[in-house]
Amino acid sequence: MDYRVILGIETSCDDTAASVVAGGELLSNVLSSQLEHQAYGGVVPEIASRSHQRYIMPVVDGALSQAGAQLEDLDAVAATYGPGLSDSLLVGLSFAKALAFGLDIPLAGVNHLEGHIYSVMIEPPRPALPYICLIASGGHSQLVRVEEGFHHTVLGRTRDDAAGEAFDKVAKLLGLGYPGGPQIDRLARKGDRTFHDFPRSRPGDYDFSFSGLKTSVLYYLNAFSDKERNEFLDEHLSDVCASVQEAIVDVLVARMREAVRETGLRRIAVTGGVSANTRLREAMLNMVYDEGGELYMPALEYTMDNAAMIATTASYKLAAGQISPLSLAAEPALAL
Ligand code: KG4
Ligand code: ZN
């Protein structure tokens, strides 16, 4: 069966998002980012779920009208069912279930991580399968082999902090706001990335570990008195940002290079919020040039959480015959 028109919904964290994909092409992508959390320096789960409740209807309406579609045009509805914040997931998933039930169309529950993996399929150029994908986001750092028929094999994952979490935690230590990744990226552009040699950890296999880096930044800053530290950061904040960023990027690129050499796969995708990072994009491009491969990265608006990736993933999932039951439960700790 060909599910032509698919509505996708994403509410796993602090973005309420909806998108319509038809025949594999993106027709609309609407996102309401909750600014309510900024004052708290991180996402507050209770506020997130309440805000999703408020925004879900206008966001879905917006996605339908931007696509020029009516509810009756939908052939399937998809929603993220994990991983993420429990009450936030429930808002989008329950909404999707109600639509699937009311319109008598299939439901596709989408793993948020699969969403990031297939974010390179939202628009051309799209990689042919199989490809190797790095998901680097606030909650996850994983290296995945993506196969035909909606199969994936995890090659490596983080043993502690995710890459985006490392950016955010270091940014907090440096007194920058949340989320810290974009701020470190911006400051690092003016900085010297060889200013300080922060540790590049290598826990084994294709795994990552970033908690040691965060601790080493903490020790590095604690070696100063408060007054000295302020003076030091006044002068060298961008150098520290560039050095920390380089340590994170080096590790991500090194693992990907090994995966390319050892699997022989030359199609490479880099996705998730951290794939918006200017230096990571540049370093991955250089690596792929050296190794002789093809690099696929989502456009910036599809690196962070969005529903276009959920609707697109659903089109692959449904094509592989994977329909979810209406009894599907939200799974906050869902893995790949
Ligand atoms: O994929 P995403 O929107 O949400 C999760 O699924 O986690 O990723 C958010 C993460 C945050 O940790 C944020 O700091 C990071 O992506 N991020 C960046 C940049 N833009 C977003 N990290 C480094 N450089 C960036 N330009
Ligand atoms: Zn995400």
Side-chain angles (χ1 to χ4, degrees):
M1 158 110 200
D2 180 20
Y3 299 104
R4 255 194 61 77
V5 187
I6 303 172
L7 170 71
I9 294 173
E10 156 65 39
T11 61
S12 66
C13 192
D14 58 341
D15 295 304
T16 318
S19 164
V20 176
V21 162
E25 297 301 323
L26 183 69
L27 294 191
S28 67
N29 183 40
V30 174
L31 181 126
S32 165
S33 288
Q34 302 175 4
L35 304 176
E36 296 88 320
H37 306 277
Q38 276 175 355
Y40 300 90
V43 177
V44 184
E46 175 69 19
I47 296 179
S49 56
R50 285 172 186 229
S51 299
H52 285 309
Q53 289 273 8
R54 204 170 325 121
Y55 300 143
I56 185 97
M57 195 70 230
V59 165
V60 167
D61 269 347
L64 288 170
S65 69
Q66 205 182 82
Q70 313 280 330
L71 280 177
E72 297 68 40
D73 298 328
L74 297 179
D75 295 316
V77 55
T80 306
Y81 73 107
L85 300 170
S86 177
D87 292 348
S88 290
L89 289 165
L90 280 174
V91 177
L93 181 60
S94 304
F95 195 93
K97 283 184 184 180
L99 280 181
F101 182 75
L103 298 169
D104 195 19
I105 54 175
L107 170 75
V110 172
N111 181 323
H112 182 82
L113 299 172
E114 293 166 354
H116 281 301
I117 289 176
Y118 284 86
S119 63
V120 285
M121 299 300 200
I122 294 172
E123 54 184 12
R126 300 179 174 103
L129 295 154
Y131 61 94
I132 310 179
C133 181
L134 169 71
I135 312 167
S137 72
H140 302 272
S141 297
Q142 300 204 7
L143 208 50
V144 184
R145 188 188 161 107
V146 188
E147 322 266 2
E148 294 279 355
F150 207 72
H151 288 297
H152 3 84
T153 316
V154 177
L155 304 174
R157 48 164 51 98
T158 184
R159 296 197 180 175
D160 40 57
D161 294 347
E165 199 176 354
F167 271 107
D168 295 339
K169 286 180 174 171
V170 169
K172 200 166 181 182
L173 294 174
L174 294 171
L176 303 171
Y178 175 88
Q183 315 224 36
I184 291 185
D185 187 351
R186 183 176 45 80
L187 287 160
R189 281 177 216 155
K190 307 179 283 202
D192 172 6
R193 55 183 186 248
T194 63
F195 182 74
H196 185 82
D197 195 17
F198 287 108
R200 275 87 166 141
S201 92
R202 167 97 240 232
D205 301 329
Y206 292 115
D207 283 355
F208 304 101
S209 164
F210 292 107
S211 66
L213 170 65
K214 169 196 64 193
T215 312
S216 102
V217 175
L218 181 68
Y219 286 168
Y220 181 66
L221 295 173
N222 280 351
F224 296 98
S225 70
D226 285 355
K227 181 169 173 289
E228 283 169 352
R229 186 168 52 245
N230 290 340
E231 285 167 9
F232 171 73
L233 287 179
D234 277 348
E235 198 177 337
H236 290 297
L237 179 61
S238 49
D239 297 326
V240 175
C241 287
S243 303
V244 169
Q245 174 174 278
E246 197 64 11
I248 298 173
V249 166
D250 261 2
V251 168
L252 296 174
V253 173
R255 282 311 83 74
M256 183 60 110
R257 190 189 295 272
E258 286 159 17
V260 168
R261 288 186 180 167
E262 285 162 32
T263 63
L265 278 180
R266 288 284 180 277
R267 284 180 296 273
I268 295 148
V270 183
T271 67
V274 179
S275 72
N277 185 268
T278 321
R279 177 67 188 140
L280 179 65
R281 290 175 93 94
E282 176 189 53
M284 283 288 181
L285 209 56
N286 292 339
M287 185 274 286
V288 168
Y289 182 78
D290 291 347
E291 301 296 325
E294 297 162 21
L295 179 63
Y296 297 87
M297 290 186 291
L300 286 183
E301 70 243 61
Y302 309 127
T303 57
M304 305 280 267
D305 292 349
N306 64 86
M309 70 185 194
I310 302 304
T312 300
T313 306
S315 67
Y316 284 83
K317 193 165 183 173
L318 291 166
Q322 298 185 28
I323 294 174
S324 307
L326 286 182
S327 58
L328 182 72
E331 286 192 47
L334 185 66
L336 261 183

